[in-house]
């Protein structure tokens, strides 16, 4: 008679949290009873026991009620143990339920064959003792647990490898950090995962925790990227609760101070309790190491890009110099050549006035070419960051009176020059050479771009820690659309017409002002005039070579 019976007094399921489901397939009811008794006596494990008295019933049960282990009698009425194994693999689509084979004495050889086909163990039925059966079953279950654990670990490793691959696919730091938090959050299935950059000035985690930050706001000095629930109540201002958070530092290996991490990788759970597993911590560590490498690579790339960009700018500047020299030198050189040959060929027949006129042309054009070369050399020094900057205490009133008298040779009768100063200029330190460049450029512009003359007003105001200088003319002004680029080398207004110039003066002026730690602004209205204002700190600490 085919039969199926559950264990006599099964414990309710909630009392058997670790109950293993075990199927005994044996046509001998007495044997089944013995095995059941032995197993239920096991002090280490609970078993939920199913029974089948034929291979067919056993197979049916396996299909509908997956069990953890099968105790299989080798000699069944409807098929042999080996045939049963083949059927079982077929019907359960290759699933590997562990099997312990029960054989009679003398059948050991068959049992060994069965083991080669995947059976975990075999026991000889005659005189089978309780402890032997219990131990065999426990061993197989232990093996099963280890195998499951191994599979889980392998699966995790695979997921981690895939995730790391995705993280490392980009060289863009922002993208890397976003991918990392998203991937880790999906893998750990927690409320939120964050990468927060620590403030360079903050040296321990406690102060870091108390530092204000806007999440996902890169305007803040702390970078913070997160993935997960928007409702998550994580707050960096509150002390980190170790139960709710897993926190791992991200430490860059090339940093000299290793104790100061670049930032932290944080997994956070606020909905419900969460016991963090050691392998989850390992995942965070693994990701933090990979993030450190990715961050270093991104930093290197950014540096290389910046160097390349600088190189490109320098090359463009050099090409511009070549173009400017060939363009700007052609006309004055032609004038010089023409004046010199006239003097050489016809000098004897020219009166003194004409001779002076040609000599003046030669002098003026040579000066212009010389200034052009000087300006380009100065600009080149700035581009290469090689400008010498040495400050000394300066009496600004005296400095301006010398400068103005030098510039006076360029004024015409039409220019009215007004200089006034107010406030306290004492205690001003500056680089005399660079300051001369700044103010002579501005004065030359005011004169040059006021061909109709007019007032040129100069104001110098001394305040407690800075001096403010402004120069205002009533000249041709600058079209609004040209005003933004005027501080770039070689940029000129579209209204300059035939007024000579190369567009280097303001670029040099701005660079000199910035070396002094100051600022420059320009206001202008076409046909109404231009006002340039410069603020300089009385003392600028940085000294560059
Ligand atoms: P240079 O290199 O000889 O000084 P530049 O005067 O053309 O040549 P910048 O001093 O750099 O070059 O000035 C750039 C441009 O700004 C000028 O070409 C001119 O169009 C405009 N600009 C500067 N100052 C004035 C001003 N005071 N009035 C009107 N336009 C001005
Ligand atoms: Mg100029």
């Amino acid at each position: 008679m085919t039969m199926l019976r559950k264990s006599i007094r099964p414990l309710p399921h909630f009392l058997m949290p670790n109950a293993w489901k075990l199927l005994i397939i044996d046509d001998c009811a007495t044997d089944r009873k013995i095995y059941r008794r032995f197993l239920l006596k096991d002090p280490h494990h609970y078993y939920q026991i199913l029974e089948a008295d034929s291979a067919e019933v056993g197979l049916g049960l396996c299909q509908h009620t997956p069990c953890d282990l099968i105790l299989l009698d080798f000699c069944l009425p409807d098929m042999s143990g080996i045939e049963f194994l083949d059927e079982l693999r077929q019907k359960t689509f290759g699933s590997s339920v562990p099997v312990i084979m029960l054989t009679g004495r003398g059948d050991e050889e068959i049992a060994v064959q069965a083991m080669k086909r995947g059976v975990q163990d075999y026991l000889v039925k005659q005189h089978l003792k309780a402890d032997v059966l219990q131990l065999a079953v426990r061993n197989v279950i232990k093996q099963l647990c280890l195998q499951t654990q191994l599979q889980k670990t392998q699966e995790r490793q695979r997921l981690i490898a895939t995730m790391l691959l995705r993280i490392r696919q980009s060289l863009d730091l922002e993208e890397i950090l976003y991918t990392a938090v998203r991937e880790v959050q999906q893998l750990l299935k927690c409320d939120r995962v964050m990468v927060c950059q620590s403030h360079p000035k903050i040296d321990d985690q406690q102060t870091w925790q108390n530092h204000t930050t806007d999440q996902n706001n890169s305007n803040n000095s702390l970078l913070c990227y997160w993935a997960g629930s928007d409702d998550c109540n994580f707050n960096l201002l509150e002390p980190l609760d170790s139960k709710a958070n897993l926190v791992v530092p991200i430490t860059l290996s090339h940093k000299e101070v290793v104790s100061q991490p670049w930032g932290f990788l944080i997994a956070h759970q606020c909905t419900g309790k969460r016991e963090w597993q050691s392998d989850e911590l390992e995942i965070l560590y693994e990701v933090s190491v990979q993030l450190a490498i990715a961050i270093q690579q991104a930093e290197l790339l950014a540096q290389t890009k910046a160097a390349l960009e600088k190189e490109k700018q320098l090359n463009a500047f050099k090409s511009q110099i070549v173009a400017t020299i060939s363009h700007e030198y052609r006309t004055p050189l032609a004038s010089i050549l023409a004046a010199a040959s006239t003097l050489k060929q016809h000098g004897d027949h020219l009166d003194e006035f004409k001779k002076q006129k040609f000599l003046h042309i030669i002098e003026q054009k040579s000066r212009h070419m010389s200034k052009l070369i000087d300006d380009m050399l100065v600009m080149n020094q700035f581009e290469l960051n090689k400008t010498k900057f040495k400050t000394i205490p300066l009496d600004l009133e005296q400095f301006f009176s010398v400068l103005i008298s030098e510039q006076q040779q360029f004024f015409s009768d039409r220019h009215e020059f007004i200089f006034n100063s107010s406030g306290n200029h004492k205690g001003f330190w500056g680089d005399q050479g660079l300051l001369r460049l700044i103010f002579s450029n501005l004065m030359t512009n005011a004169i040059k771009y006021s061909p109709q003359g007019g007032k040129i007003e100069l104001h110098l105001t001394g305040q407690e820690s800075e001096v403010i200088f402004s120069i205002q003319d009533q000249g041709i002004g600058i079209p609004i659309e040209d005003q933004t680029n005027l501080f770039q080398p070689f940029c000129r207004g579209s209204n300059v017409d035939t007024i000579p110039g190369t567009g280097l003066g303001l670029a040099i002026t701005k660079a000199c002002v910035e070396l002094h730690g100051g600022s420059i602004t320009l206001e202008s209205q076409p046909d109404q005039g231009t006002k340039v204002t410069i603020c300089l700190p009385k003392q600028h600490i940085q000294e560059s070579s």
Side-chain angles (χ1 to χ4, degrees):
M1 188 187 70
T2 305
M3 58 162 279
L4 157 65
R5 211 180 80 188
K6 292 215 170 171
S7 63
I8 306 164
R9 275 179 291 119
L11 279 168
H13 199 72
F14 62 87
L15 287 179
M16 305 188 296
N18 298 320
W20 293 91
K21 205 177 271 180
L22 209 139
L23 170 62
I24 304 171
I25 308 174
D26 196 324
D27 57 327
C28 173
T30 321
D31 284 354
R32 289 200 306 271
K33 204 169 161 188
I34 293 170
Y35 306 147
R36 167 187 290 275
R37 192 157 39 84
F38 284 174
L39 288 168
L40 290 178
K41 273 202 297 193
D42 188 335
H44 303 290
H45 275 295
Y46 294 112
Y47 296 105
Q48 186 188 354
I49 298 174
L50 307 176
E51 291 181 20
D53 63 355
S54 70
E56 200 190 325
V57 175
L59 285 170
L61 265 175
C62 287
Q63 266 179 292
H64 298 110
T65 325
C67 48
D68 301 308
L69 177 74
I70 298 172
L71 272 185
L72 176 66
D73 181 14
F74 179 71
C75 288
L76 290 168
D78 43 353
M79 60 180 83
S80 79
I82 301 283
E83 286 165 340
F84 175 87
L85 286 174
D86 291 343
E87 282 280 313
L88 180 72
R89 303 289 176 244
Q90 232 178 29
K91 291 216 157 104
T92 55
F93 304 105
S95 95
S96 47
V97 189
V99 176
I100 296 178
M101 185 80 91
L102 297 159
T103 64
R105 200 180 292 282
D107 289 340
E108 286 98 327
E109 213 147 286
I110 302 161
V112 172
Q113 267 180 34
M115 283 191 75
K116 283 183 185 161
R117 300 179 86 117
V119 163
Q120 264 64 26
D121 202 354
Y122 77 90
L123 296 169
V124 178
K125 279 178 123 184
Q126 278 87 13
H127 314 299
L128 181 61
K129 298 258 174 39
D131 55 346
V132 176
L133 179 64
Q134 287 168 4
L135 188 70
V137 170
R138 278 206 305 270
N139 277 342
V140 170
I141 283 173
K142 211 160 140 190
Q143 248 181 47
L144 182 70
C145 290
L146 285 173
Q147 223 168 354
T148 317
Q149 188 59 37
L150 185 72
Q151 273 169 4
K152 239 176 92 179
T153 312
Q154 282 173 341
E155 178 59 11
R156 273 249 148 124
Q157 288 300 337
R158 197 184 58 75
L159 282 174
I160 292 172
T162 322
M163 174 180 73
L164 295 181
L165 201 72
R166 283 202 205 109
I167 292 174
R168 298 285 299 276
Q169 253 165 7
S170 168
L171 281 171
D172 174 63
L173 187 55
E174 200 163 297
E175 198 182 322
I176 291 169
L177 298 178
Y178 272 128
T179 314
V181 289
R182 207 182 44 236
E183 294 282 335
V184 177
Q185 197 256 336
Q186 276 168 15
L187 190 65
L188 298 187
K189 296 187 175 53
C190 55
D191 288 343
R192 185 176 277 193
V193 171
M194 277 165 289
V195 167
C196 294
Q197 188 181 9
S198 50
H199 195 282
K201 287 184 187 146
I202 296 171
D203 50 9
D204 64 39
Q205 201 188 336
Q206 194 53 45
T207 18
W208 170 77
Q209 287 162 17
N210 294 332
H211 200 84
T212 330
T213 182
D214 266 354
Q215 286 170 358
N216 277 13
N217 178 3
S218 40
N219 293 333
N220 199 290
S221 53
L222 283 180
L223 285 180
C224 190
Y225 299 92
W226 56 265
S229 158
D230 282 339
D231 302 329
C232 182
N233 63 8
F234 181 86
N235 187 355
L236 278 177
L237 294 170
E238 286 168 11
L240 291 184
D241 170 6
S242 58
K243 277 187 195 143
N245 298 290
L246 268 188
V247 182
V248 168
I250 302 170
T251 310
L252 308 192
S253 59
H254 73 275
K255 293 280 180 222
E256 278 161 27
V257 192
V258 183
S259 58
Q260 165 73 41
W262 177 92
F264 297 89
L265 179 61
I266 304 163
H268 176 71
Q269 187 76 30
C270 59
T271 51
K273 270 193 170 175
R274 175 144 183 173
E275 291 286 328
W276 297 100
Q277 303 298 311
S278 60
D279 63 336
E280 291 175 324
L281 187 62
E282 274 166 31
I283 289 175
L284 276 205
Y285 268 114
E286 184 113 10
V287 173
S288 79
V289 170
Q290 296 300 324
L291 277 183
I293 297 171
I295 290 163
Q296 271 171 266
Q297 277 183 353
E299 279 182 353
L300 264 176
L301 186 77
Q303 281 166 11
T304 315
K305 271 188 180 162
L308 266 175
E309 188 51 37
K310 184 87 196 145
E311 189 73 25
K312 246 167 95 179
Q313 277 174 9
L314 271 177
N315 281 339
F317 182 70
K318 280 178 194 157
S319 317
Q320 187 79 47
I321 286 182
V322 174
T324 310
I325 288 183
S326 42
H327 181 259
E328 292 290 321
Y329 266 42
R330 205 173 292 253
T331 324
L333 258 182
S335 308
I336 292 170
L337 213 64
S341 356
T342 313
L343 280 174
K344 189 181 166 196
Q345 285 171 25
H346 311 288
D348 297 345
H349 313 291
L350 293 175
D351 60 28
E352 195 53 29
F353 176 75
K354 282 199 171 150
K355 274 188 194 166
Q356 284 303 319
K357 199 180 140 198
F358 284 120
L359 285 171
H360 180 71
I361 290 174
I362 293 172
E363 189 192 8
Q364 205 195 17
K365 300 292 174 193
S366 304
R367 271 192 207 286
H368 173 69
M369 287 165 71
S370 166
K371 180 181 177 288
L372 192 65
I373 290 288
D374 286 347
D375 281 355
M376 278 196 272
L377 287 177
V378 170
M379 203 58 230
N380 196 38
Q381 292 293 93
F382 274 114
E383 294 284 330
L384 297 171
N385 288 330
K386 283 186 176 169
T387 310
K388 299 250 182 315
F389 179 68
K390 184 141 186 59
T391 58
I392 51 163
L394 278 175
D395 178 343
L396 284 178
E397 303 252 357
Q398 197 195 343
F399 171 82
F400 275 105
S401 77
V402 173
L403 197 67
I404 290 163
S405 63
E406 277 174 16
Q407 292 286 317
Q408 240 139 22
Q409 53 174 313
F410 304 110
F411 297 154
S412 74
D413 298 343
R414 284 170 295 181
H415 291 113
E416 186 191 345
F417 197 79
I418 303 158
F419 173 69
N420 58 51
S421 79
S422 62
N424 171 19
H425 320 115
K426 286 208 173 79
F428 179 82
W429 285 59
D431 183 304
Q432 202 166 2
L434 299 185
L435 288 172
R436 284 177 68 84
L437 278 176
I438 296 175
F439 299 110
S440 57
N441 268 319
L442 296 182
M443 289 184 202
T444 314
N445 280 352
I447 298 163
K448 193 164 68 165
Y449 298 109
S450 309
Q452 306 298 324
K455 271 196 244 168
I456 294 175
E457 288 178 76
L458 262 135
H459 288 279
L460 179 66
T461 317
Q463 293 184 345
E464 193 178 324
S465 58
E466 61 180 7
V467 288
I468 299 162
F469 169 88
S470 70
I471 178 164
Q472 164 103 56
D473 62 54
Q474 297 176 319
I476 60 169
I478 307 164
I480 308 292
E481 63 275 16
D482 297 337
Q483 288 180 17
T484 36
N485 289 327
L486 290 181
F487 294 107
Q488 299 295 326
F490 305 109
C491 284
R492 303 199 71 203
S494 50
N495 58 339
V496 292
D497 199 16
T498 55
I499 302 172
T502 43
L504 283 174
L506 283 183
I508 291 172
T509 304
K510 184 169 189 270
C512 295
V513 168
E514 282 171 354
L515 264 187
H516 280 84
S519 62
I520 179 167
T521 50
L522 183 145
E523 299 154 63
S524 185
Q525 286 289 329
D527 300 322
Q528 287 185 26
T530 302
K531 180 179 179 185
V532 180
T533 308
I534 284 176
C535 295
L536 296 175
K538 281 191 172 170
Q539 280 192 37
H540 183 48
I541 309 123
Q542 184 221 335
E543 291 243 333
S544 74
S545 56

